Amino acid sequence: MNNFVLPDTPRQLRLALALRLGVGAVAIGILAGGIAYWAASYEAELRVKELAIAGVRHFESPAMRLAGGQNASEHQELTRLLGEELVGMRVFGADKRVLFETWEGLSEAAIASFRNAEHPLPKQGQSYTRSFRGGSDELIQVLLPMATENGRLIGYVEGVSRISEKEIEARRRSIRHVALAASLSVSAAALLLYPLMLAMLRRSNFLSRQLLNANLSLIRSLGNAIAKRDADTDAHNYRVTLFSVAIAEALNVPTETISSLVLGAFLHDVGKIGIPDRILLKPGKLDQGEFKIMQTHAVLGVEIVAGNPWLIGAEQTIRHHHERFDGSGYPDGLSGTNIPLAARIFAVADVFDALTSVRPYKKAIPLEETLSIMGRESGTHFDPEVFATFFDLAPDLHTKSRTWEGKQWAAELNSVVKRYFKTETAPEGAAL
């Protein structure tokens, strides 16, 4: 079963809804026409079967069983039946030998095809029916068993009916009318329901957007709180998130991966909540024991967001953003493509921002020197393919990091959120 994918714009939503309603109307019209055709065919078959049953009763009479003759004059009842609707009738004995046959209004070729056709003989209490074309005619064949009162099989009777062109045309006209009426009825209902459905979609989308905005606001607040505790600024989270998105887009990464990357990038250091201030804020170099404790922030971060279904995708970046391509990183020592793609992308963005930004313990390193340092780490620290893509983007990203203010970063992040979380789909003017 295909799931309905929410479109990106209100116009696309209207078109998708109208298209589905239109296809539904056509499908129901076709289904109604098919049902009308089946009903007309079934009714015609019933008429032929009734006439054939009348023939069975004729041959089940004691006189006919004794006669078993093939003279048409002995079977005036069958001749009368032929004058009503049947164009042919054959009677078989229990040994399948033809005892009697009469035809009226059929070509010799059609009669020969009946005589030469092989088909199963029905058991007592059953019947055999088929519809087919005989030249320009539409024919219905019914075969019924004949039995005595005590249930002994004495033979079979076959009736053939021709549906006239007039009746065929009447049936087609009826089918067209039924299909058209069904399509118009469904279309009318769809037109009446369309505004309500739009309103319901808009309301549902509005509530979903409120929930999404609430989740994003909490993530921003949590990420900003960690950033301010660590570096006295929240700009780092905005920059690394947007740098990561730019690299991912250049790599044509799937939308689902980018949406998870956005969440993971903004919360990548959330585990630092559990790191003591004496280590997190230490101005000098950490000793080996302190560094071991600092490394636990990756696992602590995953523990903090665990249990939140909305942040499952973010866990990959949070846990693995300090892994290295050669396997010498932490916490799991993953290497190569075993490191999740989102984490490999973020690692490049994170180091680039760390080198080119001013920190309390260092000055910003120029772009050329930064790229030289990072280039030497390609294949050891960084995924070479990711770094090669980033290298072409670096000048533009560096310019933004030097010239953009906080409002510009926030506006760009909002644009990314709209692009990958679809917050602006519901059409306006369709409120309840």
Side-chain angles (χ1 to χ4, degrees):
M1 178 180 178
N2 293 329
N3 294 324
F4 180 75
V5 179
L6 191 65
D8 296 313
T9 66
R11 183 173 179 273
Q12 290 176 355
L13 179 63
R14 293 190 188 95
L15 289 175
L17 183 57
L19 177 63
R20 285 180 173 245
L21 289 174
V23 170
V26 172
I28 290 175
I30 293 173
L31 178 62
I35 292 174
Y37 175 81
W38 175 84
S41 300
Y42 182 67
E43 183 180 354
E45 290 175 6
L46 283 181
R47 289 199 302 270
V48 179
K49 189 175 290 188
E50 288 172 1
L51 292 170
I53 290 173
V56 171
R57 289 173 180 164
H58 170 75
F59 274 90
E60 283 180 342
S61 68
M64 289 301 101
R65 288 202 301 273
L66 289 173
Q70 301 182 35
N71 191 332
S73 64
E74 298 174 359
H75 307 290
Q76 293 180 359
E77 177 67 18
L78 295 185
T79 303
R80 186 188 67 78
L81 291 176
L82 283 174
E84 292 182 5
E85 213 169 330
L86 292 178
V87 295
M89 179 165 282
R90 291 194 297 173
V91 178
F92 303 84
D95 58 358
K96 303 180 185 179
R97 181 172 56 89
V98 176
L99 301 178
F100 170 82
E101 67 176 317
T102 181
W103 306 91
E104 183 176 311
L106 278 184
S107 66
E108 288 298 324
I111 294 173
S113 69
F114 272 105
R115 288 171 174 165
N116 296 329
E118 294 185 4
H119 49 72
L121 293 174
K123 298 179 180 179
Q124 289 182 237
Q126 298 179 351
S127 64
Y128 170 79
T129 305
R130 69 174 178 139
S131 301
F132 59 98
R133 299 291 298 185
S136 61
D137 299 320
E138 183 173 343
L139 304 173
I140 299 176
Q141 177 190 24
V142 176
L143 191 63
L144 296 168
M146 297 187 298
T148 62
E149 292 180 359
N150 61 10
R152 183 174 64 85
L153 180 69
I154 61 172
Y156 305 88
V157 62
E158 175 188 69
V160 179
S161 174
R162 176 173 54 204
I163 301 176
S164 67
E165 284 296 329
K166 183 178 179 180
E167 186 174 349
I168 292 173
E169 180 56 34
R171 185 191 301 182
R172 290 171 181 164
R173 189 164 50 250
S174 173
I175 291 169
R176 287 196 296 268
H177 290 166
V178 170
L180 180 60
S183 298
L184 290 176
S185 299
V186 173
S187 298
L191 287 174
L192 292 174
L193 292 174
Y194 181 73
L196 177 61
M197 294 175 71
L198 278 180
M200 293 174 66
L201 280 172
R202 184 175 185 273
R203 180 63 177 171
S204 175
N205 186 262
F206 172 74
L207 294 175
S208 297
R209 187 164 63 243
Q210 280 192 319
L211 179 61
L212 173 62
N213 288 337
N215 284 332
L216 292 173
S217 294
L218 286 174
I219 288 173
R220 285 193 188 97
S221 298
L222 184 58
N224 291 344
I226 299 305
K228 284 185 175 295
R229 180 169 180 255
D230 184 21
D232 197 32
T233 177
D234 57 9
H236 169 70
N237 277 344
Y238 286 89
R239 290 195 301 269
V240 294
T241 299
L242 295 172
F243 292 168
S244 297
V245 170
I247 298 170
E249 289 177 340
L251 288 167
N252 295 316
V253 172
T255 297
E256 296 76 12
T257 301
I258 296 180
S259 60
S260 296
L261 176 58
V262 170
L263 301 176
F266 216 84
L267 293 177
H268 67 282
D269 275 342
V270 67
K272 288 184 176 179
I273 288 176
I275 303 300
D277 287 349
R278 61 180 178 81
I279 297 175
L280 183 65
L281 304 179
K282 183 178 179 179
K285 185 177 180 180
L286 300 179
D287 61 34
Q288 187 174 0
E290 292 169 334
F291 186 63
K292 286 283 187 183
I293 295 174
M294 177 63 80
Q295 287 179 326
T296 63
H297 81 275
V299 176
L300 290 174
V302 174
E303 293 175 356
I304 289 171
V305 301
N308 187 331
W310 199 61
L311 295 177
I312 289 177
E315 293 180 2
Q316 292 185 341
T317 302
I318 294 172
R319 183 180 184 94
H320 299 297
H321 67 281
H322 283 295
E323 302 284 2
R324 295 171 63 94
F325 200 72
D326 63 1
S328 62
Y330 66 89
D332 300 315
L334 300 182
S335 63
T337 56
N338 289 324
I339 305 171
L341 178 57
R344 282 180 274 146
I345 291 172
F346 179 80
V348 173
D350 191 32
V351 172
F352 176 71
D353 186 66
L355 293 175
T356 56
S357 299
V358 176
R359 296 291 173 87
Y361 51 85
K362 64 176 273 298
K363 294 181 180 180
I365 298 176
L367 175 63
E368 293 76 11
E369 186 179 350
T370 296
L371 292 178
S372 176
I373 294 171
M374 294 181 68
R376 292 193 293 270
E377 295 289 308
S378 178
T380 54
H381 190 163
F382 309 119
D383 181 332
E385 181 182 357
V386 174
F387 180 77
T389 299
F390 157 77
F391 189 88
D392 295 332
L393 303 173
D396 180 60
L397 299 180
H398 185 257
T399 299
K400 290 179 179 179
S401 69
R402 294 181 59 192
T403 59
W404 277 19
E405 302 293 337
K407 290 183 179 180
Q408 291 169 292
W409 290 110
E412 181 67 14
L413 183 61
N414 286 335
S415 176
V416 166
V417 167
K418 290 178 182 179
R419 192 155 67 246
Y420 292 103
F421 294 89
K422 293 186 178 179
T423 62
E424 299 296 331
T425 299
E428 296 298 328
L432 287 174

